[in-house]
Amino acid sequence: MLAEYQQIAKQCSSSNATYEQYLQEMAEAEIQKRDSNATSRRINAAKIPAMKEISDFDFASIPSLNKGKVVELSQCSYIASHTNVVIMGPPGVGKTHVAIALTLAACRHGCSARFYTAADIVNTYREARESKTILRLETSLRRMDLIVIDELGYLPIDRVGAESLFGFFSRCYEQTSVIVTTNLPFGQWPSTFAGEERMTGALLDRFTHRLEVLTINDTEESYRVKQARKNNKKKS
Ligand code: ADP
Ligand code: MG
């Protein structure tokens, strides 16, 4: 209000607005500013690795990705029903891009979100275990509306790391939506979880209970490779 009152007062006096209208304009400016500050805080707290928007995504170049579903997910109603999302596909096809864009959509929608890579979350658990703050970590994770685990399956996870992730998925079950991006179909998840078939089965049972699946065909080529080829063609 302090920042805007003179400008609003000028506009209101030139349009002969009533005092009540002036008050309303002032209140609306204040509310708008508070909302946008809160959204910025949520986006900062989400710790996304880069700004990536749905509007910058070229769906035509990745035809096997279901555009309708991505757009629907960006409306965020899956978060209210604690539905999870898995984005599966080969490298470079925009999995992380879509996961970040959905994180931003959630933040703008008033939801709290946090972006981790699989390696990050395993490290976060290890540090919390060492400092005996696992309970605090899990409480804060469970309070989130949305958590992204990017790049599951890229790096092998040892047994302790796998146990942390089982703990993580159990805590999130029916509490927090989780978006996973991965290059691995479900059948190969045990290999990333230190070969723990039974625990991985239990994890998948929970994770897939309410799940939206976005699959990008393995035959799809990396977006960067495609762009590079286009640029080379233009040059020659
Ligand atoms: P992945 O996570 O599947 O390996 P990324 O999301 O990291 O792929 O995509 C690699 C780069 O290419 C990023 O800079 C991303 O923004 C860009 N990119 C990928 N697919 C698209 C697309 N269809 N339209 C626009 N940019 C894309
Ligand atoms: Mg990625």
Side-chain angles (χ1 to χ4, degrees):
M1 281 185 171
L2 192 61
E4 297 286 333
Y5 80 99
Q6 285 171 322
Q7 185 63 23
I8 298 175
K10 258 191 219 151
Q11 282 164 7
C12 284
S13 73
S14 67
S15 66
N16 285 329
T18 61
Y19 188 70
E20 282 82 359
Q21 282 166 335
Y22 171 62
L23 256 184
Q24 180 167 356
E25 295 255 332
M26 291 277 286
E28 276 168 9
E30 176 72 22
I31 289 168
Q32 231 174 43
K33 183 70 188 157
R34 284 187 187 195
D35 278 355
S36 81
N37 285 349
T39 298
S40 303
R41 273 198 301 275
R42 283 191 294 272
I43 291 174
N44 279 337
K47 304 234 181 329
I48 51 171
M51 289 295 278
K52 300 277 177 182
E53 304 285 355
I54 302 272
S55 53
D56 303 330
F57 198 78
D58 172 14
F59 285 93
S61 79
I62 316 279
S64 62
L65 179 63
N66 184 339
K67 179 179 177 182
K69 190 160 266 182
V70 174
V71 171
E72 185 194 316
L73 290 170
S74 70
Q75 316 288 318
C76 300
S77 54
Y78 69 101
I79 295 175
S81 59
H82 311 302
T83 297
N84 299 319
V85 178
V86 66
I87 310 174
M88 276 178 189
V93 292
K95 301 184 298 297
T96 301
H97 187 133
V98 172
I100 292 173
L102 292 177
T103 308
L104 286 170
C107 293
R108 291 179 185 133
H109 207 257
C111 299
S112 56
R114 181 70 163 85
F115 188 103
Y116 292 98
T117 63
D120 284 342
I121 188 87
V122 167
N123 280 337
T124 303
Y125 262 87
R126 186 174 44 72
E127 284 165 14
R129 199 172 310 104
E130 283 165 9
S131 59
K132 298 198 171 19
T133 53
I134 287 270
L135 261 177
R136 199 192 307 161
L137 170 67
E138 291 194 330
T139 306
S140 75
L141 292 174
R142 207 166 28 194
R143 281 207 194 111
M144 289 281 154
D145 296 308
L146 173 68
I147 296 175
V148 176
I149 304 295
D150 193 30
E151 301 188 341
L152 189 74
Y154 280 67
L155 295 172
I157 294 165
D158 65 11
R159 209 196 132 83
V160 177
E163 276 168 11
S164 300
L165 281 170
F166 297 129
F168 167 76
F169 280 97
S170 307
R171 292 301 162 272
C172 292
Y173 179 59
E174 296 198 319
Q175 298 277 340
T176 297
S177 290
V178 180
I179 298 180
V180 171
T181 82
T182 180
N183 54 333
L184 297 181
F186 290 132
Q188 288 176 35
W189 281 33
S191 67
T192 209
F193 288 108
E196 294 284 345
E197 296 269 353
R198 277 181 59 184
M199 279 206 276
T200 311
L203 179 153
L204 279 175
D205 192 49
R206 288 181 181 162
F207 178 66
T208 59
H209 176 200
R210 286 206 185 84
L211 182 69
E212 295 282 0
V213 182
L214 293 170
T215 317
I216 301 164
N217 280 349
D218 267 347
T219 52
E220 213 84 79
E221 201 176 24
S222 152
Y223 182 77
R224 281 202 207 101
V225 173
K226 256 185 212 164
Q227 290 301 100
R229 183 151 7 83
K230 258 192 209 162
N231 290 341
N232 283 340
K233 260 192 200 153
K234 268 186 215 153
K235 276 181 210 154
S236 59

